[in-house]
Amino acid sequence: MHGLGNDFIVIDAMEKEYFPTPDDARRLCNRRTGIGADGLMLVMPSKKADLRMRLLNSDGSTAEMCGNGIRCFAKFAYERGMVRSNPIKIETPAGIKLAELTVKCGRVTAIRVDMGEPLLDKKDIPMKGEGVCRLETIEALGREFTFSAVNTGVPHMAVFGEVTEDDILKYGPALERHPLFPAKVNVNFINVEPDGSISVRTWERGCGRTLACGTGSCAAAVCASMAGFTGRSVKVHLALGELLIEWAENGHIYMTGPAEEIFEGNIK
């Protein structure tokens, strides 16, 4: 499945337990010798919610949360009859998330997810230092960038200013591993458009360059709003489409966007 090009192997683990290892994730997500994906996702039973989501990145590391992934998760589970409630309560390592579905003729056409409140304090990102990270400077490979940082389920950096695709591939890995971020960080390169929308390109922790990042789009919208570049409701342009991100007055972030199934098969 994919959410605006951010793709996942989604496995039904409701009745048959399956605990993939990091090596399993790396093998299956390999785009030349495996199925190929940014991550390996399991749909599992939950004692706290309707369902439980577990996600391994393509490098085998565990992801606490994934915005594009949770939309795929919700569509997969609903359309296969694993759950009939709407909205769906989904247990993740980043807490229970609520996914509200738009359904037409039994098919899920859009998903609106309550992503919770962003964590703004540096210690909660986690990031070295104190207070809120708003429009600070950071250096990587001899170049200085202006950025803000938040946690939207996972740590994110929002880098403002013009960059090329080559810049993303060069500086993304260096910023991901910058010593300011002890747990590493996702890196989102943001352009603020004249109409108040934003364009986002992401270097994702544990995956590398991805076509879209849901938690990153949420983080980019929050950081752009905090900086005064946009309002609290922001249209986010990604390579293959758009997300609507709302940072509501109650402090919660609401992400609305699509998810698509590509193909189905069996893993031996």
Side-chain angles (χ1 to χ4, degrees), residues 178-200:
H178 197 282
L180 270 179
F181 297 91
K184 300 183 183 179
V185 68
N186 297 275
V187 188
N188 305 278
F189 296 89
I190 303 167
N191 286 335
V192 180
E193 306 297 342
D195 63 358
S197 63
I198 58 177
S199 297
V200 178

Side-chain angles (χ1 to χ4, degrees), residues 1-8 10 41 66-76 79 99-104 107-113 115 211-215 217 234-245 254-262:
M1 300 188 74
H2 78 92
L4 297 175
N6 192 192
D7 58 341
F8 307 92
V10 187
M41 183 187 303
C66 177
N68 290 315
I70 200 169
R71 297 199 314 277
C72 292
F73 180 104
K75 179 181 174 72
F76 180 90
E79 292 185 351
E100 183 179 350
L101 313 177
T102 300
V103 182
K104 295 182 180 179
R107 309 299 289 180
V108 177
T109 59
I111 306 97
R112 182 177 189 255
V113 183
M115 300 289 285
L211 292 176
C213 180
T215 56
S217 296
V234 184
K235 184 180 290 186
V236 179
H237 304 287
L238 303 163
L240 299 182
E242 298 174 345
L243 290 173
L244 175 63
I245 308 297
Y254 295 90
M255 171 192 63
T256 303
E260 300 292 339
E261 183 172 329
I262 308 168

Side-chain angles (χ1 to χ4, degrees), residues 110-121:
I111 306 97
R112 182 177 189 255
V113 183
D114 181 348
M115 300 289 285
E117 297 184 49
L119 302 178
L120 306 179
D121 199 277

Side-chain angles (χ1 to χ4, degrees), residues 20-159:
T21 66
D23 283 342
D24 290 332
R26 287 189 286 267
R27 174 175 59 86
L28 293 170
C29 291
N30 189 292
R31 296 191 183 277
R32 293 188 179 275
T33 59
I35 296 170
D38 291 323
L40 176 66
M41 183 187 303
L42 276 68
V43 182
M44 307 172 71
S46 171
K47 296 180 180 179
K48 301 177 181 179
D50 295 318
L51 298 168
R52 176 185 167 204
M53 182 177 85
R54 182 177 180 228
L55 177 63
L56 297 177
N57 293 316
S58 58
D59 70 350
S61 61
T62 298
E64 298 94 334
M65 178 57 189
C66 177
N68 290 315
I70 200 169
R71 297 199 314 277
C72 292
F73 180 104
K75 179 181 174 72
F76 180 90
Y78 186 87
E79 292 185 351
R80 280 163 175 75
M82 298 174 184
V83 64
R84 279 303 173 201
S85 57
N86 185 10
I88 305 172
K89 292 182 180 178
I90 302 170
E91 179 188 352
T92 78
I96 293 176
K97 306 300 180 184
L98 208 61
E100 183 179 350
L101 313 177
T102 300
V103 182
K104 295 182 180 179
C105 300
R107 309 299 289 180
V108 177
T109 59
I111 306 97
R112 182 177 189 255
V113 183
D114 181 348
M115 300 289 285
E117 297 184 49
L119 302 178
L120 306 179
D121 199 277
K122 290 181 181 179
K123 66 178 174 57
D124 296 323
I125 293 175
M127 176 183 172
K128 293 180 180 178
E130 297 180 353
V132 175
C133 177
R134 183 184 291 119
L135 297 182
E136 299 187 10
T137 57
I138 192 170
E139 186 272 334
L141 302 178
R143 180 170 171 177
E144 194 171 85
F145 297 91
T146 299
F147 79 104
S148 300
V150 298
N151 185 311
T152 52
V154 288
H156 278 281
M157 171 192 299
V159 179

